[in-house]
Amino acid sequence: METKICQNCNNKFVIEKEDFNFYEKIKVPPPTFCPECRNVRRLCWRNEMSLFKRKCDAPGHDEIIISFLPPEEKLVVYDSKAWWSDGWDSLSYGKKYDFSKPFFKQWKDLRDNIPLQALSNITATNSDYCNVAEASKDSYMCSASWKIEKTFYSNRITEVKDSSDLYIIYRSELCYEDVLCSDSYRLLYSLNCKSCVDSYFLYDCVGCTDCFGCSNLRNKSYCMWNQQFSRDEYLSRLAKYSLRDYKVISELKEKFRELCLQSLHRFTIQIKTVNSTGDNLESTKNCKMCFDASGKIEDVKYSHWLAIDAKDAYDSGPGVGQAELVYDVFDTGIGNFRNLFTSVVYSSNEIEYSFNCHGCSSLFGCIGLRSKKYCILNKQYTKEEYELLIPKIKEQMNEMPYKDKKGRVYKYGEFFPAELSPFAYNETVAQDYFPITKEEAEDMGYRWREKTKTEYKISIDAKDLPDSLNDIDDSITKEVIRCLHDGKCNDRCAGAYKILEDELNLYCRLGVPLPRLCFGCRHDERLKMRNPMKLWHRSCMCDKKNHFHGAEKCKTEFETSYSPDRPEIVYCEKCYQQEVY
Ligand SMILES: [Zn+2]
Ligand SMILES: [Zn+2]
Ligand SMILES: [Zn+2]
Ligand SMILES: [Zn+2]
């Protein structure tokens, strides 16, 4: 065990024996940034939902396209079709390694000259405004998603259909304004639920049907505000709520917030986990400090947004699955083995410091390669040449490290410096999970970019929209609506928004009023409903006399995502189980 000072935040952090074992296994030196700063550094390269208009640079193309790469950045950007075509040769951009220049400088030169893909998608049908959205169909403004159809304004969703305004949702249909839910149908305005149907305003409910305004329920029907009714009584009470009215929904949201506060809170959400710490975990084993991970995740540390088979991984995610022995990577998976410092790398092995490579092995510092082997900075070598060069390059990276403006040093074993990212801090998900102000960002040496004012001509104020969905007709899709926040909030307000035809159809199908906030503000409201990716050591707050701890207060200690100053009642697993099941 060793205590170190983080290069970035100057706080102490501990490298444990198991960590040293991992670093030795993958042959990297121990890190010089603390776990959180490593996470932030990686997230500074991950833009999920800031989209821009820019020109397509593919030869013969001149059209304006949607891209996650800001137009201010001097990059060569191809639309996805042109990028995936055989019309250009990624190896022709290769350069011989220059031992007189730091590695990261040479990598940036390659990055600035080679065609980049406008959006980070492989298969997207009629979903031009979706980014990092694999297998999406007829969807709009969805990101970090997989297998979605007719879904709008959502982030981190998989296998979702006919839904809108979701965040961290799995296998669901006809859902609206939900956070951290799965396997549900027609579930609205709910948080942390599983297998719920035809229900509204549920918190921590499982297997509930026809329930309204409830929390901590299991396998119930016809409950309202945690009170059991007959079917007829429930339906007649439900009919009294005008759920198509914005004012009614706003008041119910307020009441729901109160209900959540008064409910029982399990110290973290963990389902079928063994020896794991973190939050929102399902089927994990020996995972430490992991968040939002599900499906056979084993021996993983300091990682988040992982799914389906990840083993022996550190500092991984978002977007990692079917991967083994990976370190400081995101958007990397599907049969990956020993990849370090990579992003958008699929079906590949032994890849280091590379971006957007597919079906490759043994690459170092490469961009945009497909089915290649033994390349460095996109230049082809023989196996023998490659194996001779790699140790020399790593040595040179240590002798001639990259230094950023703040004096932080990047030798071999560090992720790409944030200042080389094409994104400003506030365009990336670093701002989602570690929000800071413009001043704080500049202080830390992160870039910040003010949103370019929308050129839309606002035609109606959100506050002047008819209260009820009943008074809305198709003409609303022609309006440009001023967001209630009008750009004055600290969230990523776009100032204005529109209602799409398909979106309006969904609202009518669900019977919900029109939103009054723009997409950026709505997303930020959802983010506030989740706990941070941090853990605090606390003890159980239960003093129930009928529990295993008898007359004494429960003394069970745990690592929880509820900070000590929060008002929620936080229980250990045993006390929670006794009360809720
Ligand atoms: Zn730090
Ligand atoms: Zn807004
Ligand atoms: Zn307890
Ligand atoms: Zn108890």
Side-chain angles (χ1 to χ4, degrees):
M1 201 174 109
E2 205 179 298
T3 303
K4 286 198 167 202
I5 304 283
C6 170
Q7 266 205 79
N8 195 49
C9 67
N10 297 318
N11 289 328
K12 281 183 188 158
F13 70 104
V14 173
I15 302 177
E16 292 179 81
K17 196 169 166 279
E18 61 183 28
D19 306 341
F20 281 113
N21 290 345
F22 178 79
Y23 301 136
E24 213 160 286
K25 206 165 167 183
I26 56 164
K27 298 189 187 73
V28 294
T32 64
F33 277 43
C34 72
E36 185 169 306
C37 289
R38 299 200 300 269
N39 196 355
V40 170
R41 178 174 60 183
R42 201 167 63 251
L43 293 183
C44 282
W45 288 81
R46 168 85 164 187
N47 169 10
E48 287 178 8
M49 58 175 73
S50 302
L51 299 182
F52 313 91
K53 283 187 175 143
R54 64 178 297 157
K55 209 175 91 348
C56 178
D57 298 315
H61 291 228
D62 226 352
E63 76 276 15
I64 299 297
I65 51 169
I66 306 300
S67 177
F68 76 131
L69 295 160
E72 293 88 345
E73 302 294 311
K74 282 202 182 69
L75 301 165
V76 183
V77 178
Y78 282 17
D79 70 61
S80 283
K81 214 171 151 196
W83 192 87
W84 278 103
S85 78
D86 296 327
W88 66 286
D89 175 14
S90 51
L91 283 184
S92 69
Y93 295 84
K95 285 246 167 70
K96 198 165 169 257
Y97 196 85
D98 183 347
F99 284 87
S100 72
K101 275 189 198 158
F103 162 74
F104 290 112
K105 270 215 166 79
Q106 298 182 61
W107 185 88
K108 185 185 179 287
D109 285 344
L110 172 65
R111 196 271 317 269
D112 290 349
N113 288 297
I114 193 168
L116 303 174
Q117 198 183 349
L119 289 167
S120 205
N121 290 337
I122 299 176
T123 49
T125 314
N126 187 28
S127 305
D128 291 349
Y129 288 78
C130 296
N131 184 39
V132 214
E134 260 326 285
S136 35
K137 210 179 149 206
D138 304 326
S139 293
Y140 182 76
M141 285 303 277
C142 289
S143 54
S145 64
W146 182 62
K147 282 193 186 172
I148 59 163
E149 206 179 320
K150 279 198 178 170
T151 294
F152 318 109
Y153 309 107
S154 298
N155 180 231
R156 304 202 168 186
I157 53 168
T158 70
E159 295 177 87
V160 168
K161 213 178 145 189
D162 294 312
S163 298
S164 190
D165 288 75
L166 306 178
Y167 174 60
I168 311 197
I169 305 292
Y170 304 90
R171 302 169 299 273
S172 293
E173 201 176 322
L174 275 175
C175 287
Y176 182 58
E177 286 208 23
D178 296 325
V179 172
L180 284 162
C181 295
S182 67
D183 306 287
S184 292
Y185 183 84
R186 233 183 207 299
L187 176 67
L188 290 84
Y189 313 110
S190 294
L191 171 63
N192 183 16
C193 291
K194 196 175 167 69
S195 308
C196 292
V197 176
D198 288 323
S199 295
Y200 302 78
F201 301 103
L202 300 188
Y203 170 71
D204 183 35
C205 290
V206 180
C208 292
T209 304
D210 291 295
C211 286
F212 190 99
C214 293
S215 67
N216 302 132
L217 291 188
R218 298 294 180 267
N219 308 313
K220 291 275 191 290
S221 293
Y222 311 122
C223 288
M224 193 173 269
W225 306 112
N226 278 45
Q227 214 188 325
Q228 180 71 63
F229 293 104
S230 70
R231 180 177 182 274
D232 289 350
E233 179 65 17
Y234 173 85
L235 291 177
S236 89
R237 278 172 185 259
L238 183 66
K240 288 197 185 103
Y241 287 108
S242 311
L243 297 174
R244 298 161 80 87
D245 293 3
Y246 173 73
K247 224 178 134 229
V248 172
I249 293 294
S250 306
E251 284 162 12
L252 285 167
K253 275 186 184 174
E254 203 41 57
K255 204 173 166 191
F256 177 63
R257 234 167 262 145
E258 289 293 310
L259 172 84
C260 290
L261 268 182
Q262 288 152 16
S263 304
L264 286 184
H265 298 260
R266 188 175 7 192
F267 68 110
T268 58
I269 306 171
Q270 294 200 23
I271 304 164
K272 293 184 204 145
T273 61
V274 181
N275 186 30
S276 298
T277 62
D279 200 8
N280 308 322
L281 303 178
E282 188 169 347
S283 307
T284 65
K285 196 177 161 191
N286 302 330
C287 290
K288 295 284 143 74
M289 281 296 287
C290 287
F291 300 85
D292 313 343
S294 74
K296 276 181 88 183
I297 314 288
E298 218 178 306
D299 301 319
V300 175
K301 204 164 172 180
Y302 307 125
S303 298
H304 63 106
W305 193 237
L306 291 104
I308 316 164
D309 271 314
K311 203 177 157 13
D312 260 329
Y314 267 55
D315 300 312
S316 293
V320 170
Q322 292 183 40
E324 198 177 329
L325 276 182
V326 290
Y327 175 54
D328 226 343
V329 300
F330 68 88
D331 206 352
T332 285
I334 316 205
N336 277 25
F337 187 79
R338 204 185 170 277
N339 292 339
L340 322 175
F341 323 109
T342 61
S343 60
V344 201
V345 166
Y346 283 86
S347 316
S348 300
N349 302 314
E350 304 277 352
I351 314 289
E352 295 188 58
Y353 292 110
S354 296
F355 166 62
N356 212 349
C357 294
H358 305 261
C360 295
S361 64
S362 301
L363 304 181
F364 196 97
C366 291
I367 299 172
L369 299 189
R370 292 161 223 163
S371 310
K372 295 286 186 297
K373 259 181 198 180
Y374 309 119
C375 297
I376 300 166
L377 294 172
N378 282 32
K379 189 177 159 29
Q380 182 73 61
Y381 294 90
T382 65
K383 182 175 185 284
E384 291 70 27
E385 289 168 333
Y386 183 86
E387 283 167 358
L388 222 64
L389 259 173
I390 291 297
K392 285 184 188 157
I393 289 171
K394 290 179 182 172
E395 210 178 291
Q396 185 259 4
M397 286 174 78
N398 291 335
E399 281 160 8
M400 195 187 289
Y402 182 87
K403 281 195 189 101
D404 72 11
K405 285 191 209 84
K406 287 275 165 184
R408 289 165 291 212
V409 176
Y410 301 81
K411 295 184 178 181
Y412 173 72
E414 304 288 342
F415 196 79
F416 296 89
E419 70 176 21
L420 299 184
S421 167
F423 312 114
Y425 192 97
N426 57 326
E427 289 162 346
T428 69
V429 287
Q431 184 66 0
D432 279 17
Y433 300 105
F434 302 93
I436 51 176
T437 62
K438 185 184 174 194
E439 290 68 36
E440 286 167 329
E442 279 161 359
D443 208 40
M444 293 293 290
Y446 299 128
R447 289 198 294 156
W448 192 270
R449 194 165 7 229
E450 298 294 347
K451 233 183 155 121
T452 36
K453 272 270 168 253
T454 164
E455 66 271 27
Y456 294 136
K457 271 207 170 69
I458 288 169
S459 58
I460 186 166
D461 269 30
K463 62 175 163 42
D464 299 329
L465 288 172
D467 199 49
S468 169
L469 181 71
N470 296 340
D471 302 321
I472 304 288
D473 60 45
D474 288 353
S475 67
I476 192 71
T477 59
K478 309 235 159 32
E479 306 281 2
V480 178
I481 311 167
R482 189 193 311 274
C483 169
L484 271 192
H485 291 173
D486 196 15
K488 294 184 180 80
C489 60
N490 291 323
D491 301 334
R492 273 155 294 178
C493 188
Y497 62 104
K498 290 191 80 172
I499 306 287
L500 306 172
E501 236 169 86
D502 286 341
E503 185 189 350
L504 181 64
N505 289 341
L506 180 68
Y507 296 150
C508 291
R509 213 171 147 193
L510 293 167
V512 297
L514 299 184
R516 262 57 172 179
L517 298 176
C518 71
F519 161 65
C521 293
R522 273 140 61 195
H523 174 65
D524 281 320
E525 290 219 319
R526 283 189 286 280
L527 281 175
K528 284 170 198 153
M529 291 171 79
R530 71 162 294 154
N531 285 3
M533 287 198 240
K534 292 181 190 212
L535 295 176
W536 288 269
H537 192 82
R538 294 182 61 181
S539 56
C540 181
M541 291 165 77
C542 177
D543 55 5
K544 293 239 164 26
K545 308 268 180 285
N546 59 335
H547 284 186
F548 69 95
H549 42 83
E552 283 186 23
K553 190 183 158 285
C554 179
K555 289 195 174 70
T556 309
E557 295 182 14
F558 43 61
E559 305 293 319
T560 175
S561 53
Y562 292 92
S563 63
D565 55 345
R566 283 179 64 149
E568 291 91 345
I569 309 150
V570 182
Y571 273 21
C572 72
E573 186 68 22
K574 235 172 153 176
C575 294
Y576 171 86
Q577 293 284 350
Q578 198 159 345
E579 286 304 302
V580 173
Y581 283 88

